[in-house]
Amino acid sequence: MLNLLEMEQLAAFAECGTLSKAAEKLNVSQPTITRTMQHLEDEFGVPLFQRTKNHIALNETGMRAVEHAQKILKAAEDAVEDVRLFDRSLHTITVSSCAPAPLWHLLPELSDAFPGMTMSSSVKNNAAVLDDLRSGACLLAVLPDHVLSSHISEEDYCCIPFMKENLSVCVPPFHALAEYDDISFAELNGYNFLLGTRLGFWDEMCREKMPASRFLVQTDQFTMEEVIRESSLPCFVTDAVSYDRDIYRDRIVIPITDQEAKIIFHAVFDRNNKKYADVFRRLFRV
Amino acid sequence: MLNLLEMEQLAAFAECGTLSKAAEKLNVSQPTITRTMQHLEDEFGVPLFQRTKNHIALNETGMRAVEHAQKILKAAEDAVEDVRLFDRSLHTITVSSCAPAPLWHLLPELSDAFPGMTMSSSVKNNAAVLDDLRSGACLLAVLPDHVLSSHISEEDYCCIPFMKENLSVCVPPFHALAEYDDISFAELNGYNFLLGTRLGFWDEMCREKMPASRFLVQTDQFTMEEVIRESSLPCFVTDAVSYDRDIYRDRIVIPITDQEAKIIFHAVFDRNNKKYADVFRRLFRV
DNA sequence: ATTAGTTACGCATATCGTAACGATG
DNA sequence: CATCGTTACGATATGCGTAACTAAT
């Protein structure tokens, strides 16, 4: 029977052109390669090389054998890779969320519900979350109400509302906006805002609703908080974070009136997933 | 690195269900299989089995690994098979002919032209010969003139006429047909004939041209000759065999007048075959 | 008591590297 | 004479089978 180590040496020889180079590449002695090539000819039962006294090269048949060797080696590598990933998937709950806040609730609950399993979560925009759900890249998706009806079939997927989040702007008392009791995106459009990163669909929505505004993106949380404290630039908060935190103490929170600022997050998962559908249903108390 | 022998043992275990059965199947001791399964788990780096004290079974990951193992094993087997066939093809001139007679001329000439190579020839009906030519199953095809124009593109294939064969019927002197100087298929239609086997397109043609006739097929050459000698049943001969052979000495040969009985055989081969096209052209003196 | 799987031990063989050799440009 | 491939030889490692052990039915 063929031998993957020998296949590898054959492929290396094809790549390097001489036995010595191949030996060096694979950190074995050169006679080892000689022997392997002889053995391979035995295995295949046909000549694979053109030999002269001090030269050896693949013949036409040999090249054909090399192609097979490469294919088989790749299959073997892929097999290990795939089996490892599969094993990992058996011990991992993957969640793709359109916003960060739902994960703060969800991940601890999932950890309790699936003791011993790894949680793997990511925050993406709605389209990317939908892709993950459809491709199976995530077991559980978190999506806002307004994308469900248009993009998710109730037949295939179970959608359970489990959390609300309402967006507000947050300004210092002396700011021009501070006098509003509530406000709309239309009225906010044109102001510039501080904005965090990894906000999922919020990022996209803000840019759509306030196209005239500029968003001053802060990638570092500490920097963000310092700038909020020390500047009068408006920023966003939601009721998913505590308003009374230190940094917001001196600011005024103004709810946004648009429907799009009042999000109901849904947990979405494959109805037919035998392993998880029931547990998810129980988890969300339905 | 994975090992094909171990893959084979894994596949055998999957098939047999117990280590002992797998060991028996592969003619190795049972501890060998135990060790291999342990080693495989090391290789993959993840658990592949559910073990109790005296039972072992594949887990979900293990089944996945088995699928890969089977795929890889098949690829390895196919590789050897393919490389051997390829090597053989390098040393074999394959000819598919629509009739036996052209081969009598062709094969000796090819043997001379390609010393050291093996000749592999077969006689098939026209459609099968065309298939062989198109699929590359033969390097050289022998086909009658009338199929060329309709089925062969001059752009891709080189067609060279190299031999004629004319069909006659052959009857004893006292037979009803013996008075004809020549004769047509229409006139022959309804008579029953002795017929050999492996006649290529001749067989098909006879049955088409003389649908009312019955053909008494003789698979054995010796039997055929005895029946010709001892019966008055008509049979066929062509000018490619010597009429004056012993068995025909007492019979009368009547040429068939139809155009379809006067065949011009063409050698047909791939114009773009770098290795053989030129030699074939020279061989047929074009 | 039989069947299944794992572990331990010792031997046979396979495999590798070093060294010596032969050929070529 | 430097490079490349092959052959020979000895050390080591690998892999196998036998046998002994444990657990379960």
Side-chain angles (χ1 to χ4, degrees):
Chain A
M1 167 136 30
L2 293 184
N3 178 322
L4 289 183
L5 273 172
E6 293 183 341
M7 296 283 106
E8 189 178 38
Q9 296 186 9
L10 178 62
F13 171 58
E15 204 181 309
C16 301
T18 75
L19 299 188
S20 329
K21 300 268 179 61
E24 192 179 353
K25 175 178 177 179
L26 298 179
N27 296 315
V28 295
S29 71
Q30 183 271 336
T32 298
I33 310 284
T34 292
R35 277 192 297 264
T36 296
M37 299 304 125
Q38 292 167 344
H39 188 215
L40 279 169
E41 282 187 313
D42 283 354
E43 291 280 4
F44 280 103
V46 299
L48 303 176
F49 307 98
Q50 293 167 338
R51 299 162 194 272
T52 62
K53 278 294 176 185
N54 70 341
H55 187 245
I56 181 171
L58 289 162
N59 65 20
E60 227 178 322
T61 314
M63 293 179 198
R64 190 113 169 180
V66 167
E67 288 171 26
H68 283 289
Q70 290 166 337
K71 204 180 60 190
I72 292 170
L73 285 170
K74 179 149 192 337
E77 284 167 29
D78 290 353
V80 175
E81 172 92 1
D82 176 77
V83 167
R84 285 183 182 158
L85 283 178
F86 182 77
D87 176 73
R88 185 169 179 281
S89 80
L90 288 179
H91 304 113
T92 306
I93 306 285
T94 44
V95 186
S96 290
S97 176
C98 64
L103 292 177
W104 306 336
H105 298 245
L106 208 46
L107 292 181
E109 288 195 48
L110 285 170
S111 290
D112 286 351
F114 299 96
M117 295 198 73
T118 306
M119 301 300 132
S120 169
S121 66
S122 55
V123 175
K124 312 180 170 182
N125 67 31
N126 292 334
V129 172
L130 278 167
D131 283 348
D132 282 0
L133 183 65
R134 297 226 174 82
S135 71
C138 72
L139 284 173
L140 193 61
V142 177
L143 287 164
D145 41 356
H146 58 271
V147 302
L148 295 182
S149 55
S150 47
H151 292 91
I152 290 290
S153 138
E154 283 279 343
E155 253 185 67
D156 300 330
Y157 295 99
C158 205
C159 304
I160 307 176
F162 75 102
M163 183 184 143
K164 295 180 183 174
E165 188 171 24
N166 299 298
L167 191 65
S168 305
V169 282
C170 183
V171 296
F174 51 83
H175 192 279
L177 294 172
E179 64 194 40
Y180 286 85
D181 287 334
D182 50 31
I183 199 167
S184 69
F185 283 128
E187 291 166 312
L188 291 170
N189 191 18
Y191 288 92
N192 296 339
F193 299 91
L194 288 169
L195 202 66
T197 51
R198 291 176 227 154
L199 299 176
F201 86 109
W202 288 120
D203 189 286
E204 221 170 60
M205 176 195 281
C206 288
R207 292 173 196 276
E208 275 172 25
K209 289 289 169 189
M210 297 168 280
S213 295
R214 299 280 294 272
F215 297 93
L216 315 173
V217 173
Q218 298 299 315
T219 55
D220 180 67
Q221 183 61 21
F222 178 78
T223 308
M224 176 73 155
E225 296 188 1
E226 281 301 303
V227 176
I228 288 172
R229 219 188 302 276
E230 301 297 333
S231 78
S232 62
L233 286 163
C235 64
F236 296 100
V237 294
T238 81
D239 52 357
V241 301
S242 307
Y243 294 145
D244 55 355
R245 277 189 58 200
D246 191 27
I247 49 167
Y248 303 122
R249 213 172 35 198
D250 300 327
R251 289 193 167 220
I252 294 177
V253 173
I254 310 162
I256 299 174
T257 51
D258 301 60
Q259 196 53 46
E260 290 90 341
K262 304 170 192 300
I263 299 298
I264 300 171
F265 291 113
H266 290 246
V268 187
F269 52 89
D270 185 346
R271 245 182 221 299
N272 304 310
N273 186 321
K274 287 172 189 164
K275 201 162 169 185
Y276 294 103
D278 284 345
V279 195
F280 286 156
R281 251 189 225 103
R282 234 173 297 135
L283 191 67
F284 296 104
R285 292 169 193 102
V286 177
Chain B
M1 168 137 28
L2 293 183
N3 178 322
L4 290 183
L5 272 172
E6 294 183 339
M7 296 283 105
E8 190 178 37
Q9 296 185 9
L10 178 63
F13 171 58
E15 203 181 313
C16 301
T18 75
L19 300 187
S20 329
K21 300 268 181 61
E24 191 179 356
K25 175 178 177 180
L26 299 178
N27 295 314
V28 295
S29 72
Q30 184 271 337
T32 298
I33 310 284
T34 291
R35 276 191 298 263
T36 296
M37 298 304 124
Q38 292 167 343
H39 189 215
L40 279 169
E41 282 187 314
D42 283 354
E43 291 280 3
F44 280 103
V46 298
L48 303 175
F49 307 98
Q50 291 167 340
R51 299 162 194 272
T52 62
K53 277 296 176 186
N54 71 340
H55 187 243
I56 181 172
L58 289 162
N59 65 19
E60 229 178 321
T61 314
M63 293 179 196
R64 189 111 168 183
V66 167
E67 288 170 25
H68 283 289
Q70 290 166 338
K71 204 181 59 191
I72 292 169
L73 285 170
K74 179 151 193 335
E77 284 167 29
D78 290 352
V80 174
E81 172 92 2
D82 176 76
V83 166
R84 285 183 183 157
L85 283 178
F86 182 78
D87 175 75
R88 186 168 179 280
S89 80
L90 288 178
H91 304 112
T92 306
I93 305 285
T94 43
V95 186
S96 290
S97 176
C98 64
L103 292 177
W104 307 336
H105 297 244
L106 208 45
L107 292 181
E109 287 194 49
L110 285 169
S111 290
D112 285 351
F114 299 97
M117 295 197 74
T118 306
M119 300 300 133
S120 168
S121 66
S122 55
V123 175
K124 313 179 169 183
N125 66 30
N126 292 333
V129 171
L130 277 167
D131 283 348
D132 283 358
L133 183 65
R134 296 224 174 82
S135 72
C138 71
L139 285 172
L140 193 62
V142 177
L143 287 164
D145 42 356
H146 58 271
V147 302
L148 296 182
S149 54
S150 48
H151 292 90
I152 292 289
S153 137
E154 282 281 341
E155 253 184 67
D156 300 330
Y157 295 98
C158 204
C159 304
I160 308 174
F162 75 100
M163 183 183 143
K164 294 179 183 174
E165 187 171 23
N166 299 298
L167 190 66
S168 304
V169 283
C170 183
V171 295
F174 52 83
H175 191 280
L177 293 172
E179 64 194 38
Y180 285 86
D181 287 334
D182 50 31
I183 199 165
S184 69
F185 282 128
E187 290 166 311
L188 291 171
N189 190 17
Y191 287 91
N192 297 339
F193 298 91
L194 288 169
L195 202 66
T197 51
R198 291 176 227 155
L199 298 176
F201 87 108
W202 287 122
D203 187 285
E204 221 170 60
M205 176 193 281
C206 287
R207 291 172 198 276
E208 274 172 27
K209 290 288 169 188
M210 296 167 281
S213 296
R214 299 283 294 274
F215 298 94
L216 317 172
V217 174
Q218 299 298 315
T219 54
D220 180 68
Q221 184 61 20
F222 177 78
T223 308
M224 176 73 155
E225 295 188 3
E226 282 301 303
V227 176
I228 289 172
R229 219 187 302 275
E230 300 299 331
S231 77
S232 62
L233 285 162
C235 65
F236 295 100
V237 294
T238 80
D239 52 357
V241 302
S242 306
Y243 295 147
D244 56 354
R245 277 187 59 200
D246 190 26
I247 49 166
Y248 301 122
R249 212 171 37 200
D250 300 328
R251 287 191 169 225
I252 293 175
V253 172
I254 309 161
I256 298 174
T257 50
D258 300 62
Q259 197 53 47
E260 290 91 341
K262 303 171 193 300
I263 300 298
I264 301 170
F265 291 113
H266 290 246
V268 186
F269 52 90
D270 185 347
R271 246 181 221 301
N272 303 310
N273 185 322
K274 286 171 189 165
K275 201 162 169 185
Y276 293 104
D278 284 346
V279 194
F280 286 157
R281 253 190 224 100
R282 233 173 297 134
L283 191 67
F284 295 104
R285 292 170 191 102
V286 177

